[in-house]
């Protein structure tokens, strides 16, 4: 769908791996975004590996977030690419447990509304046999609260889903393509509404993050699908 771009490339460290692609922000010590493709074939029954660990693929000189940074913080290690979305082998599942795939999430977000949207996404893949392109990340204040070494706590989490058929890509996206986006506050009160009440347009995610998403989709099509309101 194209690499998400904002006005400042200096805080986008790209890591392109088998399980997903991500952009790590060394200033925030968080991912800017994580993006992956999902279809029913990615979802299996392997157990969660739970091997949370430092991401050894980050370039030298950058701080590498460790599971200890989250210890006693009150925040969960919230997966962006979910463990269950990569569950056909222990090896591929383990790839989702690198700390660059995590953001500090309130338990009310991680274990409830965020998880429900993850389950909704897998239902599209399994129940409706769709091929999905998903992008997820955080929205940060100018001077965010931090935990551990300096891991910024996002004020909200966002997700964008593009719903396609098997074998389709950016060139197959049309003005009629189904897209789903949401912004959920990273706060206790997130459970006061169902997850679907947090749906927004992609334009709202672009405004809140400063990123242009779906850059490989023709501009006139982006304009239509990004403005679609739930
Ligand atoms: Mn989670
Ligand atoms: Mn865009």
């Amino acid at each position: 769908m194209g690499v998400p771009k904002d006005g400042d490339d200096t805080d986008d460290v790209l890591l392109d791996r088998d399980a997903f692609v991500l952009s790590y922000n060394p200033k925030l010590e968080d991912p800017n975004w994580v993006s992956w493709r999902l279809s029913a074939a990615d979802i299996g029954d392997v157990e969660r590996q739970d091997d949370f660990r430092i991401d050894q693929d980050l370039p030298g000189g950058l701080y590498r977030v460790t599971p200890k940074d989250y210890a006693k913080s009150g925040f969960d290690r919230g997966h962006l690419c979910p463990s269950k979305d990569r569950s056909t082998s222990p090896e591929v599942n383990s790839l989702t447990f690198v700390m660059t795939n995590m953001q500090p999430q309130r338990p009310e977000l991680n274990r409830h509304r965020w998880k429900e949207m993850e389950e909704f996404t897998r239902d599209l893949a399994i129940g409706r046999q769709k091929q999905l392109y998903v992008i997820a990340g955080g929205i940060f204040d100018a001077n965010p609260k931090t935990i551990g070494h300096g891991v910024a706590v996002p004020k909200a989490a966002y997700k964008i889903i593009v719903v396609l058929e098997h074998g389709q890509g950016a060139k197959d996206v049309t003005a009629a393509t189904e897209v789903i986006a949401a912004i959920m506050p990273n706060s206790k009160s997130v459970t006061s509404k169902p997850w679907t009440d947090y749906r927004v347009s992609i334009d709202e995610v672009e405004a809140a993050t400063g990123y242009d998403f779906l850059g490989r989709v023709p501009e006139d099509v982006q304009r239509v699908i990004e403005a679609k309101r739930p």
Side-chain angles (χ1 to χ4, degrees):
M1 289 296 139
V3 176
K5 285 275 178 200
D6 69 356
D8 178 11
D9 281 349
T10 64
D11 56 8
D12 288 74
V13 178
L14 289 186
L15 293 175
D16 185 352
R17 39 183 39 137
D18 292 342
F20 47 78
V21 184
L22 73 81
S23 165
Y24 176 74
N25 187 320
K27 296 174 193 158
L28 297 172
E29 301 183 358
D30 274 293
N32 291 303
W33 51 263
V34 180
S35 185
W36 65 102
R37 194 171 61 188
L38 179 67
S39 67
D42 297 309
I43 303 164
D45 333 298
V46 303
E47 264 179 68
R48 279 171 65 96
Q49 299 301 298
D50 274 327
D51 51 347
F52 292 95
R53 63 188 183 282
I54 286 173
D55 191 334
Q56 301 289 355
D57 292 342
L58 279 175
L62 296 183
Y63 179 70
R64 293 172 171 182
V65 176
T66 88
K68 280 190 195 133
D69 285 308
Y70 283 64
K72 298 193 176 78
S73 69
F75 289 90
D76 283 359
R77 295 167 294 197
H79 276 74
L80 291 179
C81 178
S83 163
K84 189 70 182 170
D85 284 15
R86 294 289 180 260
S87 51
T88 54
S89 73
E91 293 74 23
V92 75
N93 181 252
S94 173
L95 293 173
T96 70
F97 286 89
V98 289
M99 293 305 293
T100 48
N101 185 39
M102 306 297 156
Q103 69 177 192
Q105 289 187 345
R106 295 274 335 170
E108 293 83 359
L109 176 64
N110 181 40
R111 303 175 197 178
H112 298 282
R113 296 301 175 262
W114 190 251
K115 183 177 171 213
E116 288 153 15
M117 190 175 184
E118 291 175 344
E119 288 166 348
F120 164 84
T121 314
R122 285 191 289 274
D123 285 347
L124 288 176
I126 297 169
R128 289 175 55 202
Q129 287 290 308
K130 297 294 183 181
Q131 178 175 283
L132 311 162
Y133 287 84
V134 191
I135 308 161
I139 297 169
F140 297 87
D141 285 323
N143 290 300
K145 170 191 161 69
T146 62
I147 59 171
H149 174 271
V151 180
V153 176
K155 67 177 174 186
Y158 70 85
K159 180 169 283 178
I160 295 169
I161 305 166
V162 180
V163 184
L164 291 172
E165 305 299 331
H166 285 271
Q168 290 188 326
K171 65 175 181 358
D172 303 300
V173 177
T174 71
T177 296
E178 185 181 356
V179 293
I180 299 146
I183 295 177
M184 300 185 193
N186 191 17
S187 66
K188 272 187 185 174
S189 64
V190 68
T191 50
S192 64
K193 301 194 285 191
W195 82 262
T196 45
D197 280 12
Y198 294 109
R199 288 185 59 180
V200 294
S201 67
I202 295 173
D203 279 341
E204 285 171 83
V205 182
E206 291 191 338
T209 61
Y211 278 94
D212 176 25
F213 298 103
L214 316 184
R216 221 179 255 173
V217 173
E219 197 62 58
D220 55 325
V221 177
Q222 277 188 65
R223 206 171 302 123
V224 175
I225 62 174
E226 292 180 351
K228 277 187 192 172
R229 299 199 48 94

